[in-house]
Amino acid sequence: MHPITRTILHRLGLGALTLFIVSIVIFVMVLLLPGDFAKAILGQSATPETVQAFQKEIGLDKPAYVRYGNWIAGAVQGDFGKSYTSRVGYTRTVAEIIMPRLANTLFLALMTAFIAVPLALALGILAALHRNSLFDRVVNAVTLSTISMPEFFMAYILMLFLAVKLRLFPGLASVDADTEFFTRIYKCVLPSLTLTLVIVAYMMRMTRAAIINLLASPYIEMARLKGISKARIILRHALPNAWAPIVNVIAFNLAYLIVGVVVVETVFTYPGIGQLMVDAVRTRDMPVVQACALIFAVTYIGLNLTADIISIATNPRLLHPR
Amino acid sequence: MNQWEELQQAAFAKRVSRRDFMRRATALGVSTALATGVLSRAGYAQEPKKGGSFKIGLGHGATTDSLDPATYPDQMTGTVGWGASGNSLTEMDAAGNIVGDLAESFEPSDDAKQWVFKLRKGVTFHNGKTVTPDDVVASIKHHMGPDSKSAAKSVVDTIEDVKADGDNIVFTLKGGNADFPFYASDYHLKTMPMKADGKVDWESGISTGPYAIEKFEPGIGAKLKRYDGFYGKAYFDDVEIKVIADVAARTNALTSGEIHFMDRCDLKTVNLLKKNRDVNVNIVTGYGHYIFVMNTQVAPFDNPDVRNALKNAIDRDEIAKKVFHGYASPGNDNPIAPSIQYATNPEPIHTFNPDAVKELLKKAGKEGLTVDLSVSDAAFTGAVDAGTLFKETAAKAGININVIQEAADSYWDAVWLKKPFCASYWNGRPTCDWMFTQAYAADAPWNDTFWKNPRFNELLVAARSETDSDKRAKMYAEMQQLVHDDGGLINIVFNNYVSANSKAVTHGDLLSNWDVDGMKICSRWWMA
């Protein structure tokens, strides 16, 4: 077997194991949450009888391991069960609640990634090329300032100037399934911009550092002595060896764009999955909470796995083993 | 011209009514155009006109919401599913009176044990079908029955039987209740079409109201379109209601013109919002009140003198000012809001009075009293701060209060009705009877002061079926006095509903029974 195939299979196995452990952790954490789900769902108007009727209906009278078994068996087949808001004759599956929200989150993440990743790579490469120049310093100062500010603060600043004062972009990113593609992009400008400002610095600095590191190595010196152009040195000789750390940090930031944007979603009232999860925790809609947590775990583990595999696959030394 | 300027000043200070202003302006020879211009600048309501798209942002709403009225937890579902798109048999008006809505008229008989509601003629559902008394009966029965999980269960529990009789809907109650028409105005009791199996169709959202639901996305919002077959008034062409949980986002949406109305302003910054020339801030005193409750069955609170000492050891004005930024009215240990029929303000008014506290403690033999007070912001926002201020003033009067901050998550399970002295809140109810039955009757499950006063409970039953208004007023006055003097309630403040709207829209008097103009904002407002 090719060593790369073996490594990949090994990583996939580890990923699946991690996911299994995470699913147990999620289930146990939800069990440990204080308060009574039925009471929280029914509100202050709950009476003992209504609470009892409700608990029976959602199967809370069964032991925990049975519920875990049912849940995980369903989840593997893509069935996350019913939301606690379902009642007799009216079913709301977790999947139908989550899917539109997940689609929104992915849209925002992709839109941001399309702006942020090329921007960060370009800035990082340019900064490495013109190390210690004025350009390098300005780029560093600006991106480090934007990453140092909490994201909600960035969001409010952008909203104040671009939405309230200049009225260029809407401050409410309220989209739904019927929103047209370009309207959607227009509405997502401010949240996307906020997220871009938050993640660019990290990726940019990593790119810059990785390339600068390599530029000092003997084989680059050799290339330079051969008289190859600067651009070619970087793109052809330095970058392939720099991919590993860069891809890792990109994957990390992409994962953040999917699982960690709840603050930005709340500020711009963007109906994404982070907001859904907070909402579900607040209203104790546990099947939704569990499903969201599992999706987050899959995203995180999946993206890290991909990053690992890419960094192995692009590493010339691993690619051509002796 | 001097008089004209005076009149304008009076208008800007809202010292004259719209009608008086116009009459006097005409008498002064001012043109109508000029006069109405002044009125609109002074923020007076204009004659309603039709048209426009109304957008509102509400701080409630969750993905767990559904259109089933048995589940409506708050103003979001209430505004969409009931205020804008549905109707109950009766409704409250701005003066706090109960008037017919789907019912043309209503009559009690048999000592208010039976109520007959006459259905308005020619009312249609959004699908064009005529509303029959059977639809109304099915809609009420939707909340009844032993398996009911309805939020209105406590309301319909008073009903023995409901049936259709010709054009009428006849309610037979378990006991006489002169206030039943108020119960019938509850926002969960909206009228929906009956299906062939006798159950109601709530899933479609079809009802009788001024707007038909086009789209409802739980936790995100709703879109509605005016239903031209509606029997009452409605002005906007269409309405969009958005869930904007974050108060700063809500405020930004209002100031950037993306919404016309927001509820629950941020009290810390509302003074800045008031400076915005395009925005009006509305303040309505509702029925809701923020309270501390003492378990009157447990020492030391089983001693009325101790209870009264604590009632006199709190500085409500200070709490109203510091915790609620002035957007609250100090309470007087009476759970009945001033705008409710038969409300009184029992004497002596409870204010911070250290001398009275010391005297009462001496009388009870409890000098140097130490008590534990459980608080959490789950009870109401600001409960922890209110508890801390209470501790400070009580210390001055010789009472030592340990303020214990409880976990917010399980507050209603583990603290409320369990700990002997804790913070709580009531949304309030529109009648004395409703409020007292829910929270002060000896056997009420939510009697959070565990107060069992024989005279009070005797009066409660007697007043409920009493149809003579003067006699009822006297009974309710005595009951309010009893709660004030003997009960375990410390009513800190009545809360205010603080909302804001852009001047692109305007309105008449605001309803005080619920926030968001009694949840009927969509039909009661219009474009300026």
Side-chain angles (χ1 to χ4, degrees):
Chain A
M1 202 192 283
H2 194 281
I4 288 196
T5 326
R6 205 172 55 217
T7 323
I8 290 175
L9 284 178
H10 181 68
R11 292 293 162 106
L12 280 176
L14 276 181
L17 182 70
T18 319
L19 209 52
F20 174 67
I21 295 171
V22 167
S23 78
I24 294 179
V25 172
I26 293 170
F27 193 82
V28 172
M29 294 303 256
V30 167
L31 273 187
L32 291 179
L33 276 180
D36 188 319
F37 303 157
K39 268 198 181 168
I41 294 248
L42 294 171
Q44 204 199 24
S45 330
T47 62
E49 303 97 72
T50 59
V51 168
Q52 217 172 22
F54 188 75
Q55 282 184 330
K56 210 175 146 194
E57 192 178 304
I58 58 178
L60 273 185
D61 46 349
K62 288 186 199 128
Y65 64 90
V66 176
R67 279 186 280 144
Y68 175 76
N70 290 343
W71 174 60
I72 206 70
V76 170
Q77 301 165 45
D79 171 19
F80 289 104
K82 289 190 300 182
S83 155
Y84 282 177
T85 45
S86 307
R87 59 206 79 243
V88 181
Y90 169 70
T91 316
R92 279 185 82 199
T93 62
V94 172
E96 80 183 73
I97 294 176
I98 287 185
M99 282 325 284
R101 300 295 195 105
L102 184 61
N104 284 342
T105 294
L106 288 178
F107 180 86
L108 184 61
L110 279 179
M111 179 171 163
T112 310
F114 268 113
I115 303 171
V117 173
L119 185 69
L121 288 181
L123 286 177
I125 292 172
L126 285 175
L129 265 179
H130 307 283
R131 184 153 41 128
N132 296 335
S133 68
L134 183 66
F135 170 78
D136 183 25
R137 280 163 211 270
V138 169
V139 167
N140 269 314
V142 170
T143 51
L144 284 178
S145 317
T146 58
I147 202 179
S148 310
M149 281 187 255
E151 55 212 275
F152 68 87
F153 183 68
M154 275 319 303
Y156 284 137
I157 295 273
L158 289 178
M159 203 190 256
L160 175 65
F161 286 105
L162 298 180
V164 177
K165 297 264 186 225
L166 298 175
R167 305 213 172 177
L168 286 177
F169 299 106
L172 280 187
S174 48
V175 297
D176 58 38
D178 303 338
T179 313
E180 281 168 31
F181 183 70
F182 288 104
T183 321
R184 191 179 275 260
I185 287 187
Y186 173 64
K187 288 196 169 187
C188 290
V189 165
L190 286 185
S192 182
L193 203 56
T194 310
L195 290 171
T196 303
L197 290 174
V198 172
I199 64 171
V200 151
Y202 199 3
M203 293 189 287
M204 188 286 273
R205 300 268 305 170
M206 192 52 103
T207 312
R208 179 180 176 274
I211 289 177
I212 286 177
N213 206 9
L214 283 172
L215 287 183
S217 48
Y219 79 96
I220 298 287
E221 193 70 34
M222 180 68 203
R224 204 177 289 146
L225 289 174
K226 272 163 67 184
I228 301 175
S229 75
K230 257 186 173 180
R232 198 173 148 83
I233 290 177
I234 296 224
L235 297 177
R236 184 104 183 92
H237 296 274
L239 256 190
N241 283 297
W243 271 127
I246 298 176
V247 164
N248 264 314
V249 77
I250 289 179
F252 188 76
N253 278 296
L254 285 184
Y256 161 80
L257 283 181
I258 293 170
V259 310
V261 296
V262 58
V263 174
V264 173
E265 284 177 2
T266 307
V267 169
F268 291 104
T269 324
Y270 187 75
I273 195 167
Q275 221 191 26
L276 174 73
M277 185 169 176
V278 172
D279 208 20
V281 171
R282 196 167 47 82
T283 53
R284 299 288 154 73
D285 196 348
M286 287 312 151
V288 175
V289 175
Q290 288 172 345
C292 288
L294 202 62
I295 288 174
F296 287 170
V298 170
T299 312
Y300 230 95
I301 294 169
L303 279 169
N304 274 309
L305 212 61
T306 319
D308 275 358
I309 292 169
I310 291 180
S311 56
I312 293 166
T314 54
N315 187 325
R317 268 164 300 185
L318 283 173
L319 211 53
H320 309 289
R322 260 186 283 205
Chain B
M1 213 50 204
N2 220 354
Q3 275 182 310
W4 170 230
E5 265 160 29
E6 264 175 37
L7 185 56
Q8 286 184 58
Q9 275 169 10
F12 276 93
K14 296 266 171 84
R15 288 199 307 267
V16 290
S17 74
R18 180 190 163 81
R19 186 176 297 172
D20 275 352
F21 177 87
M22 288 306 282
R23 194 174 43 78
R24 283 160 66 183
T26 320
L28 289 168
V30 176
S31 77
T32 317
L34 185 59
T36 44
V38 171
L39 276 180
S40 75
R41 265 183 289 131
Y44 276 77
Q46 297 157 326
E47 294 303 313
K49 60 178 184 201
K50 276 201 173 185
S53 292
F54 187 40
K55 293 189 172 67
I56 72 182
L58 300 181
H60 301 263
T63 33
T64 41
D65 291 346
S66 89
L67 282 175
D68 181 356
T71 66
Y72 291 172
D74 53 37
Q75 273 79 295
M76 169 65 198
T77 35
T79 305
V80 174
W82 176 76
S85 71
N87 299 91
S88 301
L89 282 170
T90 55
E91 65 177 337
M92 302 270 289
D93 67 12
N97 300 314
I98 198 80
V99 293
D101 189 3
L102 271 184
E104 208 170 69
S105 59
F106 40 90
E107 288 292 328
S109 61
D110 188 16
D111 283 339
K113 230 185 136 180
Q114 196 178 62
W115 280 89
V116 178
F117 290 76
K118 186 158 193 269
L119 188 66
R120 191 188 284 270
K121 281 217 171 60
V123 179
T124 53
F125 286 113
H126 297 143
N127 58 7
K129 201 181 139 272
T130 305
V131 179
T132 66
D134 287 326
D135 294 317
V136 180
V137 170
S139 300
I140 302 279
K141 284 199 168 152
H142 179 60
H143 304 271
M144 295 170 67
D147 288 337
S148 165
K149 297 191 290 286
S150 172
K153 197 174 193 317
S154 61
V155 175
V156 295
D157 265 351
T158 58
I159 302 171
E160 177 78 49
D161 184 41
V162 52
K163 58 177 192 290
D165 175 25
D167 289 341
N168 298 333
I169 298 106
V170 182
F171 290 87
T172 312
L173 307 181
K174 288 176 181 157
N177 187 351
D179 284 337
F180 185 71
F182 283 93
Y183 284 59
S185 75
D186 189 273
Y187 68 100
H188 301 95
L189 304 182
K190 77 161 180 182
T191 304
M192 299 160 283
M194 187 175 78
K195 292 186 290 197
D197 62 356
K199 298 253 167 54
V200 285
D201 161 30
W202 58 262
E203 294 91 337
S204 65
I206 289 176
S207 188
T208 55
Y211 294 87
I213 297 174
E214 288 200 312
K215 190 176 201 175
F216 174 67
E217 288 182 277
I220 299 177
K223 284 181 181 158
L224 301 97
K225 209 174 164 60
R226 190 173 64 223
Y227 172 55
D228 289 321
F230 180 59
Y231 55 87
K233 284 186 177 126
Y235 306 105
F236 301 112
D237 292 335
D238 50 75
V239 173
E240 187 173 353
I241 300 168
K242 296 181 183 192
V243 176
I244 309 177
D246 183 46
V247 67
R250 215 154 60 235
T251 315
N252 279 333
L254 181 73
T255 47
S256 64
E258 286 169 67
I259 55 172
H260 295 118
F261 173 88
M262 67 177 278
D263 70 343
R264 296 192 169 192
C265 295
D266 186 353
L267 299 183
K268 293 190 190 86
T269 57
V270 70
N271 282 327
L272 296 172
L273 193 61
K274 274 185 181 164
K275 288 185 189 154
N276 187 325
R277 259 179 268 158
D278 303 326
V279 169
N280 259 333
V281 172
N282 309 299
I283 297 156
V284 177
T285 304
Y287 303 154
H289 40 291
Y290 298 142
I291 57 183
F292 292 129
V293 287
M294 302 176 265
N295 183 338
T296 55
Q297 306 298 314
V298 174
F301 310 108
D302 54 350
N303 185 334
D305 291 328
V306 170
R307 301 203 286 268
N308 278 324
L310 283 160
K311 288 178 198 171
N312 282 297
I314 183 169
D315 190 340
R316 293 154 227 259
D317 291 310
E318 190 193 16
I319 293 177
K321 209 161 71 196
K322 290 189 178 158
V323 180
F324 302 103
H325 302 270
Y327 294 98
S329 331
N332 180 29
D333 302 333
N334 176 7
I336 308 298
S339 55
I340 292 173
Q341 200 182 14
Y342 307 126
T344 62
N345 198 10
E347 294 284 339
I349 308 289
H350 286 158
T351 50
F352 178 53
N353 187 346
D355 296 332
V357 175
K358 282 173 190 152
E359 209 170 290
L360 283 162
L361 286 181
K362 201 168 171 189
K363 194 173 148 208
K366 298 268 183 192
E367 283 136 313
L369 177 73
T370 298
V371 292
D372 290 345
L373 172 63
S374 298
V375 295
S376 159
D377 275 1
F380 56 87
T381 310
V384 178
D385 295 340
T388 313
L389 285 175
F390 188 10
K391 176 193 167 84
E392 296 295 321
T393 51
K396 283 183 211 155
I399 301 178
N400 183 16
I401 298 182
N402 291 324
V403 179
I404 301 167
Q405 193 168 344
E406 307 276 359
D409 266 358
S410 49
Y411 191 81
W412 299 108
D413 288 332
V415 179
W416 187 59
L417 294 174
K418 307 269 190 327
K419 297 278 165 82
F421 190 23
C422 66
S424 176
Y425 89 101
W426 278 102
N427 267 331
R429 297 291 184 272
T431 68
C432 292
D433 178 62
W434 200 338
M435 188 70 236
F436 286 147
T437 307
Q438 199 102 69
Y440 299 91
D443 52 356
W446 288 344
N447 179 355
D448 52 10
T449 53
F450 300 91
W451 187 54
K452 297 180 169 70
N453 183 306
R455 174 69 183 151
F456 178 89
N457 286 291
E458 189 185 304
L459 282 168
L460 183 62
V461 177
R464 192 176 293 150
S465 52
E466 179 60 66
T467 42
D468 182 317
S469 196
D470 289 343
K471 283 188 195 156
R472 284 192 98 193
K474 225 174 259 167
M475 291 179 185
Y476 283 131
E478 189 184 339
M479 289 164 78
Q480 289 169 65
Q481 190 72 45
L482 280 170
V483 175
H484 172 270
D485 294 347
D486 186 60
L489 165 79
I490 297 176
N491 187 357
I492 313 164
V493 290
F494 284 103
N495 61 353
N496 288 345
Y497 303 129
V498 183
S499 62
N501 63 276
S502 93
K503 289 191 176 159
V505 293
T506 185
H507 56 88
D509 293 332
L510 295 173
L511 297 178
S512 58
N513 55 339
W514 299 102
D515 197 0
V516 197
D517 200 1
M519 298 196 241
K520 298 215 166 191
I521 187 169
C522 300
S523 56
R524 294 173 59 87
W525 289 42
W526 60 89
M527 285 289 166

